[in-house]
Amino acid sequence: MSHEQPVAPQAVVSVNTYTRGVIGPREAMLGPVRDGGRIVTGTPPGCWGPMITPIFQGGHEVTQPVAVEGAEVGDAVALKIVRCEVTSLATSSGVMEFVEGRYVGDPFVAKLCSACGTPAPSSHVEGTGDEAIRCDVCGAEVNAFRFSHGYVIVLDREHRVSLTVDAEVAQRIARMPSQLARLPELSEQHSILSLARADMSGVAAHMQPFLGNIGTMPSQDLPDSHNAGDFGSFLVDAPHAFGLSREALEAHKTDGHMDTNSVREGAIVICPVKVPGAGVYMGDMHAQQGNGEVAGHATDVAGEVELQVEVIKGLAIDGPILLQRPDDLPPMARPMTAAQRAHVRALGDRYGQTTIEANAPITFIGSAPTLNEATKVGLERAARVTGLPYNEILNRATIAGSIEISRLPGVVRVTFLCPMPILERLGIAHLARAQYGLDEDGVASE
């Protein structure tokens, strides 16, 4: 009888295969990548491309997950984003509306052809505009989504600027979508450029790419765009194959779909491990997005990503922790310089306060159906993981931190200065010191 030999951990794992919108235990893992090793991939766009492709059962097209050496349930995995670069030359996005009759319960998850009744049919593109997506079974127009207001935007990644275009340019781009969308070779989505919607031309915008969906595999198969407390709430008691209870959603999700614009090159995302090997995946790169993603969708692009992984043993968390770039930290949570710290010591001496806490910034993600609920989730996660009283987290986030909206309707980030001994106990103090250039007293280099 033959036995499969275990695969030796690899220093670098390259990924060029993707899921059709689902992430979870049904997806085979690549790797394993060595603890301290790297994952390199090209990511397809999220949102609009998968949304208009009926075979997809989620709103994104994320990478096939990668196992991490030594990652066990109850650990965490730190993902340092070494590189996050846009490869698309153009994309399209906007405010969405649904086409009734072309889905069961959720148009992101359970699409069907209203003409022939085929669920999740294969499809193709004919021409441009709203009628371009056609069912392979009967030939009928099959897109479950429409733009209520949309735009096409061209991108200059070298100079980090972009510009929305008029209808004539959008039509010209729609006739050659593959040349400008630059989807990875094995991506299966249709390009949203084919719809050629141009309601807002001539708007110049900065580019600052980040990953909207990055993390570790949930312990139950979920639509990738619904691996969060707000979008995931649409799965509760849903009338399709991915319907589940509220309790099951909370137990299995890992909150990888954050749409947090500071999850960009140079940031560190610390993710829960809910299946053996962790199953690191990523996708949904945005070329730019302000806090809140108030339009519901941002500028989804193809890109290239490189991560470095590190297993944090025994750090049991329920959702992501961020160590943001120093320039992305809210002002109240930025570490003090030596000069500022000297003024603090002088102030303490004036009043006889001799103890000055050594600390570092930390950000907890909270997700739930509403912003108020998500804020409470983030605060409760912070209290549970750090061991600090809930009300102390409130005070710290108020005077030495911030509550910021990542996405409507319900993803927030809770940032505060956390005592260094707590970060030591959690096993992440070394990451915080390196990220912020801190000495043993929590003082930042100039």
Side-chain angles (χ1 to χ4, degrees), residues 22-26 217-223 241-245 248-249 251-253 274-275:
V22 177
I23 189 68
R26 85 177 194 185
M217 182 188 289
S219 48
Q220 179 172 317
D221 294 331
L222 298 177
F242 294 97
L244 76 179
S245 68
L249 175 66
H252 296 297
K253 69 181 178 66
K274 293 195 173 182
V275 298

Coordinates of all heavy atoms in Angstrom, one line a residue, residues 22-26 217-223 241-245 248-249 251-253 274-275:
V22 N -16.0 31.0 -3.6 CA -16.2 30.4 -2.4 C -14.9 30.1 -1.7 O -13.9 29.8 -2.4 CB -16.9 29.0 -2.6 CG1 -17.1 28.3 -1.2 CG2 -18.3 29.2 -3.2
I23 N -14.8 30.3 -0.4 CA -13.6 30.0 0.4 C -14.0 29.2 1.6 O -15.0 29.5 2.3 CB -12.9 31.3 0.8 CG1 -11.5 31.0 1.4 CG2 -13.7 32.2 1.7 CD1 -10.5 30.4 0.4
G24 N -13.3 28.1 1.8 CA -13.6 27.2 3.0 C -12.9 25.9 2.8 O -12.1 25.6 1.8
P25 N -13.3 24.9 3.6 CA -12.6 23.6 3.6 C -12.7 22.8 2.3 O -11.9 21.9 2.1 CB -13.3 22.9 4.8 CG -13.7 23.9 5.7 CD -14.1 25.1 4.8
R26 N -13.7 23.1 1.5 CA -13.8 22.4 0.2 C -12.6 22.7 -0.7 O -12.4 22.0 -1.7 CB -15.1 22.7 -0.5 CG -15.2 23.9 -1.3 CD -16.6 24.1 -2.0 NE -16.5 25.1 -3.0 CZ -17.6 25.4 -3.7 NH1 -18.8 24.9 -3.4 NH2 -17.6 26.4 -4.7
M217 N -8.7 30.9 6.0 CA -9.9 30.2 5.6 C -10.9 30.1 6.7 O -10.5 29.7 7.8 CB -9.5 28.8 5.1 CG -10.6 27.9 4.6 SD -10.0 26.2 4.3 CE -9.0 26.4 2.8
P218 N -12.2 30.4 6.5 CA -13.2 30.1 7.5 C -13.4 28.5 7.6 O -13.0 27.8 6.7 CB -14.5 30.7 6.9 CG -14.2 30.8 5.4 CD -12.7 31.0 5.2
S219 N -13.9 28.1 8.7 CA -14.0 26.7 9.0 C -15.3 26.1 8.4 O -15.6 24.9 8.6 CB -14.0 26.4 10.5 OG -14.8 27.3 11.2
Q220 N -16.0 26.8 7.6 CA -17.1 26.3 6.8 C -17.1 27.1 5.5 O -16.7 28.2 5.5 CB -18.5 26.5 7.5 CG -19.7 26.0 6.7 CD -21.0 26.0 7.5 OE1 -21.0 25.7 8.7 NE2 -22.1 26.5 6.9
D221 N -17.5 26.4 4.4 CA -17.5 27.0 3.1 C -18.4 28.2 3.1 O -19.6 28.1 3.5 CB -18.0 26.1 2.0 CG -17.0 24.9 1.8 OD1 -15.8 25.1 2.0 OD2 -17.4 23.8 1.4
L222 N -17.9 29.4 2.7 CA -18.7 30.6 2.7 C -18.4 31.3 1.3 O -17.3 31.2 0.8 CB -18.2 31.6 3.8 CG -18.4 31.2 5.2 CD1 -17.9 32.3 6.2 CD2 -19.9 30.9 5.5
P223 N -19.4 32.0 0.8 CA -19.1 32.9 -0.3 C -18.0 33.9 0.2 O -18.1 34.5 1.3 CB -20.4 33.7 -0.5 CG -21.5 32.7 0.0 CD -20.8 32.1 1.2
A241 N -27.9 27.3 -0.9 CA -27.0 26.2 -0.3 C -26.1 26.7 0.7 O -25.6 25.9 1.5 CB -26.2 25.6 -1.5
F242 N -25.9 28.1 0.8 CA -25.0 28.6 1.8 C -25.7 29.2 3.0 O -25.1 29.9 3.8 CB -24.0 29.6 1.1 CG -23.1 29.0 0.1 CD1 -23.4 29.1 -1.2 CD2 -21.9 28.4 0.5 CE1 -22.6 28.5 -2.2 CE2 -21.1 27.9 -0.4 CZ -21.4 27.9 -1.7
G243 N -27.0 29.0 3.1 CA -27.7 29.5 4.3 C -27.2 28.8 5.5 O -26.9 27.6 5.6
L244 N -27.2 29.6 6.6 CA -26.7 29.0 7.9 C -27.3 29.9 9.0 O -27.9 30.9 8.8 CB -25.2 29.0 8.0 CG -24.3 30.3 8.2 CD1 -22.9 29.9 8.2 CD2 -24.6 31.3 7.2
S245 N -27.1 29.4 10.3 CA -27.6 30.2 11.4 C -26.6 31.3 11.8 O -25.5 31.3 11.4 CB -27.7 29.2 12.6 OG -26.4 28.8 13.1
A248 N -23.7 29.8 13.6 CA -22.7 29.2 12.7 C -21.8 30.2 12.0 O -20.6 30.1 11.9 CB -23.4 28.3 11.7
L249 N -22.5 31.3 11.6 CA -21.7 32.4 10.9 C -20.6 32.9 11.9 O -19.5 33.1 11.5 CB -22.6 33.5 10.5 CG -22.0 34.8 9.9 CD1 -21.3 34.4 8.6 CD2 -23.0 35.9 9.7
A251 N -19.3 31.5 14.4 CA -18.3 30.5 14.7 C -17.3 30.3 13.6 O -16.1 30.0 13.8 CB -18.9 29.2 15.1
H252 N -17.7 30.4 12.3 CA -16.9 29.9 11.2 C -16.2 31.1 10.5 O -15.1 30.8 9.9 CB -17.7 29.1 10.2 CG -18.3 27.9 10.8 ND1 -17.5 26.8 11.2 CD2 -19.6 27.5 11.0 CE1 -18.3 25.8 11.6 NE2 -19.5 26.2 11.5
K253 N -16.7 32.3 10.4 CA -16.1 33.3 9.6 C -14.8 33.8 10.2 O -14.6 33.6 11.4 CB -17.1 34.5 9.5 CG -17.3 35.3 10.7 CD -18.3 36.4 10.5 CE -18.6 37.2 11.8 NZ -17.5 37.9 12.4
K274 N -8.5 29.0 11.9 CA -9.7 28.2 12.3 C -9.8 26.8 11.6 O -10.7 26.1 11.8 CB -11.0 29.0 11.9 CG -11.2 30.2 12.8 CD -12.6 30.8 12.7 CE -12.8 31.9 13.8 NZ -14.2 32.4 13.7
V275 N -8.8 26.6 10.7 CA -8.6 25.2 10.2 C -7.1 24.9 10.2 O -6.2 25.8 10.1 CB -9.1 25.1 8.7 CG1 -10.6 25.4 8.6 CG2 -8.3 26.1 7.8

